[in-house]
Amino acid sequence: MSTYQGHCACGAVTYGFDDEPSFVANCHCTDCKRASGGEMATFALISASDFTVKGETRSFHYPKNPETCAGNGLDRVFCVVCGSRVYTDNLADFPGGVFVQEGSLDGLDQWFPPQAEIFTWSRQPWMPALPIPQYDHGVTAATDG
Ligand SMILES: [Zn+2]
Ligand SMILES: [Zn+2]
């Protein structure tokens, strides 16, 4: 049994991990808007070696896009039965990591609070900023200058 567990809407896909995420962000990019249907998505960076998933998934590749968190490319993974977006892998910018969508965690008390908000250039004007670091684009882009 993993310490932290999650599942899609129908339960056909389940996953787990033991270690706390190394990074958690609210992403306001246009890809996250379209994939989630909401103004933003909250994701947690987990080590791929700590991440186990069961059930049939399919993924959709987002090509390189510096204006969204796709960055140099990634795959968003979803359940083939219910279509819930569950996690993101094959991250060109974070090799060896996966982004877990926090909305798929089993318990509301398992959510990790975001440490930063990213791609705020595409935040809707009615969405207030949290009192945490804000990045116009990605964190790596911001720290690389
Ligand atoms: Zn499902
Ligand atoms: Zn995003």
Side-chain angles (χ1 to χ4, degrees), residues 35-74:
S36 71
E39 204 282 333
M40 57 152 195
T42 305
F43 57 71
L45 178 59
I46 306 298
S47 172
S49 60
D50 181 37
F51 185 75
T52 54
V53 60
K54 289 187 195 134
E56 189 184 353
T57 59
R58 195 165 295 169
S59 60
F60 184 77
H61 179 67
Y62 285 67
K64 179 182 169 104
N65 184 349
E67 295 304 313
T68 74
C69 71
N72 285 303
L74 48 73

Side-chain angles (χ1 to χ4, degrees), residues 72-98:
N72 285 303
L74 48 73
D75 292 341
R76 297 185 196 272
V77 184
F78 53 93
C79 170
V80 297
V81 180
C82 69
S84 297
R85 177 183 171 191
V86 183
Y87 66 101
T88 304
D89 70 2
N90 296 325
L91 302 152
D93 296 322
F94 297 90
V98 300

